[in-house]
Amino acid sequence: MSAKDFITGIKELCAPDSVHICDGSEGEFQALAKLLEEKGTWQPLKKRPGSFYARSDPSDVARVEASTYICSAKESDAGPTNNWKDPIEMIAVLEPLFRNCMKGRTMYVIPYAMGPKDSPYTKFGIEITDSAYVVCSMKIMARIVKIEEGKDFVCGIHSVGMPLEKGQEDVPWPCNKVKYIVHFPESREIWSYGSGYGGNALLGKKCFALRIGSKIAKDEGWLAEHMLILGLTSPEGEKKYIAAAFPSSCGKTNLAMLQPSLKGWKVECVGDDIAWMHFGKDGRLYAVNPENGFFGVAPGTSMDSNPNAMKSIEKNTIFTNVALTQDGDVWWEGMTKVPPEELTDWKGKSWKRGSAEKAAHPNSRFTVSKKQCPIYDPAGEKPEGVPIDAILFGGRRASLTPLVLESFNWSEGVLLGASISSEITAASEGAQGALRHDPFAMLPFCGYNMGDYFQHWLDLEQPGRSMPKIFAVNWFRKNSQGKYIWPGYGENTRVLKWIFNRLENREDGSKTPIGIVPKNLDVTELNISKEDMDSLFVIDSTKYNQECLELKSYFSETFGERFPKKFVQILLNWQSHF
Ligand code: OXD
Ligand code: MN
């Protein structure tokens, strides 16, 4: 389908009052910013030049996984971890919802690129939306380009699902309680209805770059991953790139922008959320960050936890669902040790220090260009990407997984990725301590059968390729008093240093049945008892035996036939040592 036919077809279906083809210019952003201000969607922030403060409808605050579908022709291709509906049946649901859904509104057409300029790995999309907030956010999160007929693009149709009858007043944050985030992986289409928030609405991010992206990557032999990309330079000036996958709330953005605690080490940020990785002609794995900006969780971000994020958002930033200070700045839980005495909370109500309610929504966000990050790596613009030497998989486990573990080989490392899990904390639903599996941190983002996805990872190892080394990390191990042992944040440099040196065979390790742990981690000037330090690397046979059994039943019950046989062999081998 040509871009022109796509736009005409959607215009006919959605019946907007007008059509605006976006050019991504500053003038366009400013005009839309003014419109959003007039509608009450957002307000400019006095304290931060070029920045805006938006509040969503309180019912529209996060990705809606229960309403997210992968509509492949065959149900088995969506797999057990995705909602599925037959594509024809789904179109029959969507068509009446989208018919005339843009009445009284402008239909914006956003042609955009995911990936660096002139990169062979960059892919194109067209998002049609009736939300000016989405246009402004997409200008930050993607690269808006010109439509070029003849170019392949992923079609995305987004509507807030609130047509306006003649004379009907708009609301600051239009949305609909009916929500559908639908992906058609075979025709590479995305249909999103009813939400204006984040990954539901900025279709380049989770919908394209991960769900549709992972399917394209499988078909074309590359990887679209929920991973940060960082460059690490040693005091001697050598540089290596690391990609890392963590489930949500495990500090991905903090690691991506880490401020090293060790003298002479330098971290540069290529991306904080998504990596597209291809093997180059030299057999190495190269990564590009398809995104142009960060859509970061605000709560917990502070000058202590992530000074580089704080510096990134001093200007030209969209804040959504955070709290507002009395002098016109933003605030969220964790930004300062002591909250301001009085705030306006994310719902627009007056909030006093000591209130039981959170002032900022836990999923409140900042949206900012990656170029504003003081440690943004200019190599992030290289068309060929950056060479990845190590891949990290992190989970949140109070016991079991050591602080860091190097896998013996690619296949065992892939199993470590598939085994990522987090223990449910008091803040989450579910029984405390219960395990939530999140293989490769891709559970909500894999656009096809995850059993096939595991096999795809295994199949990447081929003669002539030099595979990155794979490491598992766990910043969240607790001691017998229930306290976190590892200080994390900037101190994670010590773990990165060990990994860096392992890549160069400069550092010794101790062999365990499942991989190699440090012999001598650099802990100079860290105040951790010897007992705690040792316990960071303990591999408890009984617990690991239990874990292998748990993993076997999780994989076979969830993925059945598509659970790779290789994983069974590895698990049996691990178990034979415990
Ligand atoms: C995100 C997420 O928004 O992973 O990045 O949910
Ligand atoms: Mn993410």
Side-chain angles (χ1 to χ4, degrees):
M1 196 192 349
S2 73
K4 201 161 150 240
D5 289 349
F6 169 53
I7 297 163
T8 311
I10 300 304
K11 183 179 167 218
E12 257 171 47
L13 174 66
C14 301
D17 278 9
S18 57
V19 176
H20 174 111
I21 311 281
C22 300
D23 60 13
S25 63
E26 194 47 36
E28 178 177 81
F29 183 95
Q30 290 312 333
L32 292 176
K34 191 127 203 358
L35 187 77
L36 288 165
E37 193 183 339
E38 280 159 15
K39 277 163 52 100
T41 310
W42 71 21
Q43 63 188 74
L45 280 166
K46 286 195 208 100
K47 296 274 172 167
R48 295 179 195 240
S51 301
F52 298 92
Y53 171 57
R55 268 190 216 113
S56 78
D57 186 280
S59 67
D60 190 22
V61 292
R63 287 186 290 101
V64 282
E65 287 177 17
S67 314
T68 300
Y69 288 82
I70 301 295
C71 294
S72 43
K74 287 202 243 143
E75 182 170 9
S76 57
D77 287 342
T81 59
N82 286 309
N83 298 315
W84 177 85
K85 210 176 185 49
D86 175 80
I88 298 183
E89 282 174 32
M90 184 52 98
I91 292 287
V93 172
L94 294 177
E95 214 264 355
L97 290 174
F98 277 88
R99 180 140 318 271
N100 300 332
C101 70
M102 295 187 186
K103 253 172 86 177
R105 298 191 181 279
T106 301
M107 173 176 124
Y108 300 97
V109 179
I110 317 170
Y112 64 98
M114 298 303 287
K117 198 159 178 304
D118 301 326
S119 167
Y121 307 133
T122 289
K123 301 225 174 265
F124 298 89
I126 296 181
E127 174 165 356
I128 289 182
T129 177
D130 52 9
S131 160
Y133 168 88
V134 165
V135 177
C136 291
S137 303
M138 282 294 282
K139 175 169 160 51
I140 296 174
M141 294 304 296
R143 267 192 314 111
I144 300 196
V145 293
K146 278 209 166 64
I147 297 175
E148 278 179 53
E149 285 300 348
K151 205 170 235 168
D152 267 355
F153 54 86
V154 168
C155 296
I157 302 108
H158 167 254
S159 173
V160 293
M162 197 191 142
L164 293 169
E165 296 307 328
K166 265 216 160 46
Q168 184 184 340
E169 274 266 332
D170 202 358
V171 293
W173 188 277
C175 60
N176 194 311
K177 62 178 186 314
V178 176
K179 293 181 175 49
Y180 277 97
I181 319 296
V182 182
H183 308 74
F184 297 95
E186 281 109 3
S187 60
R188 321 285 202 225
E189 276 171 65
I190 305 155
W191 290 67
S192 165
Y193 182 86
S195 165
Y197 203 82
N200 299 332
L202 316 179
L203 301 187
K205 193 174 180 61
K206 304 297 186 182
C207 298
F208 179 173
L210 288 177
R211 297 196 191 99
I212 298 288
S214 59
K215 168 69 174 144
I216 301 176
K218 162 82 164 60
D219 293 347
E220 296 181 353
W222 51 279
L223 290 167
E225 297 301 320
H226 190 202
M227 288 183 177
L228 65 89
I229 309 163
L230 66 82
L232 178 65
T233 306
S234 69
E236 292 72 34
E238 292 166 293
K239 186 167 185 181
K240 295 194 185 298
Y241 284 95
I242 295 175
F246 292 82
S248 58
S249 306
C250 290
K252 204 144 127 257
T253 304
N254 294 343
L255 183 63
M257 300 178 193
L258 179 126
Q259 182 79 41
S261 62
L262 292 180
K263 236 175 116 200
W265 289 84
K266 181 161 114 183
V267 166
E268 284 162 285
C269 175
V270 175
D272 79 328
D273 199 39
I274 299 175
W276 282 358
M277 302 192 284
H278 300 72
F279 282 93
K281 287 201 184 70
D282 59 359
R284 295 179 78 187
L285 188 63
Y286 287 82
V288 295
N289 171 11
E291 298 192 281
N292 213 37
F294 307 122
F295 180 64
V297 174
T301 309
S302 70
M303 283 312 276
D304 288 334
S305 67
N306 194 339
N308 289 314
M310 292 301 284
K311 287 178 202 152
S312 307
I313 58 178
E314 281 169 359
K315 56 182 184 194
N316 308 326
T317 304
I318 301 170
F319 296 91
T320 309
N321 285 349
V322 300
L324 195 61
T325 64
Q326 292 199 302
D327 59 351
D329 199 4
V330 288
W331 189 86
W332 46 79
E333 277 70 19
M335 187 206 249
T336 52
K337 289 207 173 77
V338 182
E341 227 165 274
E342 226 178 317
L343 292 162
T344 307
D345 74 6
W346 70 277
K347 289 183 183 160
K349 295 212 195 71
S350 153
W351 182 97
K352 297 249 176 350
R353 189 191 293 158
S355 160
E357 303 224 345
K358 298 229 183 293
H361 187 278
N363 192 37
S364 53
R365 299 280 180 151
F366 53 79
T367 309
V368 67
S369 165
K370 64 185 180 185
K371 310 276 169 57
Q372 283 193 196
C373 178
I375 59 159
Y376 178 66
D377 189 339
E381 302 305 307
K382 281 189 175 173
E384 71 276 21
V386 296
I388 297 295
D389 287 309
I391 293 175
L392 273 47
F393 292 119
R396 177 186 278 272
R397 300 294 296 263
S399 60
L400 197 87
T401 322
L403 177 65
V404 55
L405 173 93
E406 176 187 324
S407 83
F408 289 125
N409 54 49
W410 180 256
S411 308
E412 293 193 27
V414 171
L415 178 53
L416 290 178
S419 315
I420 292 184
S421 57
S422 293
E423 273 137 15
I424 293 171
T425 61
S428 333
E429 285 176 0
Q432 187 137 359
L435 267 195
R436 186 176 16 221
H437 287 277
D438 187 357
F440 291 81
M442 280 288 277
L443 196 66
F445 306 123
C446 182
Y448 61 100
N449 190 308
M450 228 179 182
D452 297 347
Y453 167 92
F454 298 151
Q455 192 60 51
H456 177 53
W457 264 83
L458 290 168
D459 292 344
L460 288 175
E461 187 177 27
Q462 287 168 23
R465 287 183 173 171
S466 52
M467 308 309 284
K469 280 197 174 182
I470 298 181
F471 298 80
V473 296
N474 175 25
W475 317 135
F476 301 97
R477 205 147 164 167
K478 290 183 176 168
N479 65 14
S480 48
Q481 288 94 55
K483 292 236 161 65
Y484 288 117
I485 301 173
W486 188 246
Y489 303 113
E491 301 299 358
N492 290 336
T493 324
R494 297 166 190 272
V495 175
L496 296 185
K497 175 183 171 184
W498 184 78
I499 290 170
F500 189 103
N501 287 338
R502 285 295 299 169
L503 297 173
E504 289 293 325
N505 290 323
R506 284 192 206 127
E507 187 92 57
D508 268 355
S510 307
K511 254 185 160 182
T512 79
I514 54 166
I516 297 162
V517 295
K519 253 198 186 123
N520 301 302
L521 191 77
D522 180 352
V523 285
T524 41
E525 292 173 32
L526 266 195
N527 195 12
I528 304 181
S529 71
K530 162 116 182 46
E531 190 197 340
D532 272 357
M533 205 55 228
D534 291 347
S535 72
L536 276 176
F537 300 113
V538 164
I539 302 277
D540 182 313
S541 294
T542 317
K543 283 192 183 146
Y544 261 99
N545 204 6
Q546 197 56 40
E547 176 85 355
C548 289
L549 287 173
E550 201 279 327
L551 280 172
K552 247 194 289 173
S553 68
Y554 166 69
F555 286 131
S556 54
E557 276 163 26
T558 314
F559 300 103
E561 273 298 288
R562 303 219 193 181
F563 163 37
K565 306 282 171 294
K566 186 86 197 169
F567 284 0
V568 186
Q569 284 164 14
I570 300 170
L571 284 169
L572 286 173
N573 174 42
W574 283 357
Q575 250 187 314
S576 71
H577 292 90
F578 294 125

